[in-house]
Amino acid sequence: MPIALLRSASKRVLASAQSVRFAHNATALTVSKFGNWSNVLEAKQQEVADPKDGEVLVKFQAAPINPADFDVIAGVYGKLPSTPAVAGNEGVGVIEAVGSGVNGLKKGQRVIPATPGAGTWRTMGVLSANDVIPVADDIPLEYAATLSVNPCTAYRLLQDFADLKSGDVVVQNGANSAVGQAVIQMCAARGIKTVNIVRSRMHLADVQEYLKNIGGTVVVPQEHIDRVGIKAVTEGLPAAKLALNCVGGQSSLDAARMLGNGGVHVTYGGMSRQAVTLPTGPMVFNDIQARGFWMTRWVENASREERVQMMNDISQMVRDGKYKLLIERIPFADWKQGLELAQAPGNTRKVVLTM
């Protein structure tokens, strides 16, 4: 090959190498195969390139541990990433660099992932500019990190399935979960009463007191319903318009029995791994409806404007002190401790990894 051609080819190779410059080091919690997190989740060092056209480089600051994260890692969730993959569905970070052709985003701006599966359990990463949404700087870091899953799920459950007004009743199981706590507070802000079913556990009285303090009307363990019956639990309240189920089994059956004519029973989770059970009488005589909800599907179908409006509404609740969350901060380096705590029986705190 002539010398001139060799020089030209070498310049092209050099230019190509320079166009993808690995300028940043990051730590990421990754899975190369699905399984129990204690067996498959690993902390690995990664080289992160500068953002290309239409991309942003995000330095993550905090990321929560949600029940769905364990299901994704185990390979039993409704939507799974290709492996190897970085774990974590939501979090918050700051833009470190902006690629060309990006509008409306700038360096130093706080953002959260616009869609699930962004791989937030890492210190730094490159995302498409279309896959992040700006979030206000005036809400606490942990609230920004946990904005897009649990409170958004509660928001949609209360907005999309029944025309709820002040004085109406919503019944839910799993009331001490992060979604359940958000449901209580969003209902309280609108004057909606809630019947909240929890499981018997250590410190049950403390859990009941806390849920009542944030706005729960009735907080009752499942075992108490089994003993005294539904009428005794709901005495003095109108029949519920909406029942929210994230548990299944007997608990979903009891929640459905509290519905009035035309009531809607929505399943958005199955923590007990038991089938959803519905009562024949209310199905026939009260014409109750059974629906399902998955936040991931809603995000896929919703416009960016709808998502931003929802985030803004929830952020305003945080500013107004109408939405509070029990949070346990765990340094990112202690991620194993964080995952163990998130799975601990009776834990009512949202575990947030801080980078």
Side-chain angles (χ1 to χ4, degrees):
M1 182 181 294
I3 293 176
L5 290 178
L6 284 171
R7 287 174 177 169
S8 176
S10 66
K11 287 180 180 178
R12 287 198 300 271
V13 171
L14 179 61
S16 176
Q18 289 176 339
S19 66
V20 182
R21 187 166 62 92
F22 293 95
H24 313 276
N25 295 317
T27 303
L29 303 184
T30 66
V31 290
S32 56
K33 62 180 180 179
F34 298 120
N36 186 288
W37 71 265
S38 61
N39 298 324
V40 301
L41 194 62
E42 297 179 290
K44 290 190 174 182
Q45 299 302 305
Q46 295 183 336
E47 293 183 324
V48 181
D50 283 331
K52 297 181 291 186
D53 293 356
E55 294 179 337
V56 292
L57 175 67
V58 177
K59 182 179 180 180
F60 287 100
Q61 296 176 311
I65 301 172
N66 293 317
D69 293 320
F70 292 102
D71 290 341
V72 171
I73 294 169
V76 296
Y77 199 60
K79 186 175 184 179
L80 298 173
S82 300
T83 55
V86 179
N89 276 307
E90 69 171 339
V92 65
V94 172
I95 294 177
E96 288 286 294
V98 178
S100 61
V102 175
N103 297 315
L105 297 172
K106 60 184 179 180
K107 182 178 179 179
Q109 193 168 21
R110 182 194 265 188
V111 293
I112 61 175
T115 57
T120 55
W121 293 0
R122 52 179 160 171
T123 55
M124 186 173 288
V126 172
L127 300 175
S128 167
N130 294 326
D131 289 339
V132 299
I133 293 178
V135 64
D137 291 325
D138 63 347
I139 63 174
L141 180 69
E142 297 87 349
Y143 283 80
T146 57
L147 199 64
S148 64
V149 175
N150 296 142
C152 285
T153 298
Y155 184 97
R156 296 262 57 97
L157 290 170
L158 297 174
Q159 290 284 341
D160 297 348
F161 295 96
D163 181 19
L164 297 170
K165 298 180 174 61
S166 179
D168 287 338
V169 174
V170 172
V171 57
Q172 64 167 342
N173 54 32
N176 59 298
S177 67
V179 173
Q181 293 177 44
V183 165
I184 290 172
Q185 294 173 85
M186 290 178 184
C187 284
R190 297 169 56 183
I192 299 166
K193 301 179 186 300
T194 53
V195 177
N196 303 282
I197 305 171
V198 297
R199 289 177 294 174
S200 290
R201 62 186 68 220
M202 291 179 61
H203 311 299
L204 174 62
D206 293 338
V207 172
Q208 290 178 289
E209 181 181 6
Y210 170 72
L211 295 182
K212 287 182 179 179
N213 286 340
I214 63 173
T217 309
V218 175
V219 182
V220 59
Q222 177 65 52
E223 292 76 8
H224 183 70
I225 299 176
D226 297 340
R227 288 195 304 270
V228 305
I230 288 170
K231 287 185 178 180
V233 170
T234 59
E235 185 177 3
L237 294 174
K241 278 191 175 181
L242 182 65
L244 305 177
N245 168 53
C246 67
V247 177
Q250 182 65 40
S251 186
S252 68
L253 178 66
D254 287 340
R257 284 176 171 156
M258 298 183 195
L259 289 169
N261 290 328
V264 183
H265 183 281
V266 185
T267 294
Y268 67 96
M271 291 189 292
S272 72
R273 307 294 185 187
Q274 296 178 15
V276 175
T277 308
L278 297 172
T280 302
M283 289 287 291
V284 174
F285 303 120
N286 292 343
D287 191 26
I288 66 173
Q289 303 174 50
R291 301 283 302 276
F293 178 75
W294 186 27
M295 191 69 212
T296 298
R297 179 173 289 114
W298 185 90
V299 169
E300 290 174 347
N301 295 328
S303 67
R304 186 179 181 87
E305 291 72 23
E306 286 177 302
R307 285 178 282 166
V308 169
Q309 183 60 59
M310 178 173 61
M311 300 294 183
N312 289 342
D313 289 347
I314 298 170
S315 296
Q316 191 59 50
M317 287 191 67
V318 174
R319 293 188 194 96
D320 294 341
K322 295 180 178 179
Y323 172 60
K324 298 179 180 179
L325 189 62
L326 291 175
I327 292 172
E328 186 75 30
R329 294 174 61 128
I330 299 292
F332 187 59
D334 298 328
W335 58 272
K336 290 183 180 180
Q337 176 189 341
L339 269 73
E340 289 170 352
L341 178 59
Q343 282 193 315
N347 176 51
T348 57
R349 292 181 177 271
K350 175 59 63 178
V351 177
V352 177
L353 301 175
T354 54
M355 286 67 172

